[in-house]
Amino acid sequence: MFLTVHTTAAIAIGAQITNPAGAFLAGLVSHYILDVIPHGDETKWPNVTNGQLAKLALFDHMALVINLSALLVLKPGFDLTAPMALAILGSVAPDYLMALYRLTTSYTALFWQKLQKIIGPLEKFHHLIHFHIIKYDPPFWVGAILQATIMAALWILI
Ligand SMILES: [Zn+2]
C-alpha cells in the first residue's frame, strides 16, 4: 500500500492517541493492518528492480508531502502534532525496513549481515501479511480506487 495512505492513517491515529510511544506503536500496527487488505500491487513488488522501486518511492514521497500540505492548508484547525509525527514514523517503518533489507541483501560486510539477521524476521512478517493472509490481489486500478477511498475516509476522520 502507498505510504501516502499509511501516513494519512497515522495522522488520524496521532489525532486520537496523545501518548508518543502509543502513537508510534499504533502507527506501526496500522501499517500491517492496512497491508492485509488486498490493494492491487502486492504481486508486482517481487519483480520490481531496485531502480524502479526508487522511482516509485520518490513518487510516493512526493504524494505524501502534497497530501500533508493539503491537510495543513485545506483542513480547518489541522495542526501536525508530535504524536502524529511519531505515528507517521511508525507507519512508514515497515516499508523503510523492507527497502533497507532489499538494498543490502548482497552486502557481505559483517555489519550488513548482522542487520539482515535483525530485519529478516520483520521482513518475513511483512511478506506474510501481504501474501498469505488474504491470497488475492485485485488489478492495480481496483487497488488504486480502494486506496483513494481509504484516503478519503481518513481525511473525513481527521
Ligand atoms: Zn507495507
Side-chain angles (χ1 to χ4, degrees), residues 1 3 6 31-32 35 39 91 94-95 98 126 130:
M1 191 166 280
L3 287 178
H6 286 301
H31 184 108
Y32 294 117
D35 271 359
H39 46 275
S91 77
D95 283 353
M98 175 188 72
H126 196 198
H130 268 121

Side-chain angles (χ1 to χ4, degrees), residues 2-157:
F2 289 111
L3 287 178
T4 314
V5 182
H6 286 301
T7 54
T8 307
I11 290 168
I13 288 163
Q16 301 300 317
I17 300 174
T18 54
N19 178 291
F24 177 84
L25 282 175
L28 181 69
V29 170
S30 77
H31 184 108
Y32 294 117
I33 291 170
L34 284 170
D35 271 359
V36 169
I37 301 166
H39 46 275
D41 53 31
E42 291 99 327
T43 54
K44 290 150 194 81
W45 289 121
N47 304 320
V48 170
T49 66
N50 286 343
Q52 291 169 320
L53 194 63
K55 285 179 190 165
L56 287 167
L58 182 65
F59 168 78
D60 200 10
H61 282 83
M62 284 169 37
L64 184 163
V65 169
I66 290 167
N67 181 55
L68 184 57
S69 303
L71 277 168
L72 286 165
V73 172
L74 301 175
K75 267 297 208 189
F78 175 77
D79 195 16
L80 186 64
T81 63
M84 286 178 190
L86 287 164
I88 288 171
L89 280 177
S91 77
V92 299
D95 283 353
Y96 279 27
L97 290 174
M98 175 188 72
L100 186 63
Y101 186 82
R102 277 186 65 155
L103 292 172
T104 60
T105 47
S106 61
Y107 292 8
T108 55
L110 186 63
F111 172 79
W112 296 113
Q113 287 180 350
K114 295 262 183 207
L115 192 68
Q116 286 278 319
K117 278 194 174 173
I118 294 167
I119 299 174
L122 289 171
E123 183 46 26
K124 278 190 183 135
F125 178 68
H126 196 198
H127 190 270
L128 179 125
I129 291 287
H130 268 121
F131 297 103
H132 298 288
I133 304 244
I134 300 174
K135 296 181 180 181
Y136 169 72
D137 192 29
F140 182 80
W141 67 270
V142 173
I145 290 171
L146 176 70
Q147 292 191 52
T149 305
I150 292 171
M151 284 273 298
L154 290 167
W155 260 68
I156 293 166
L157 275 177

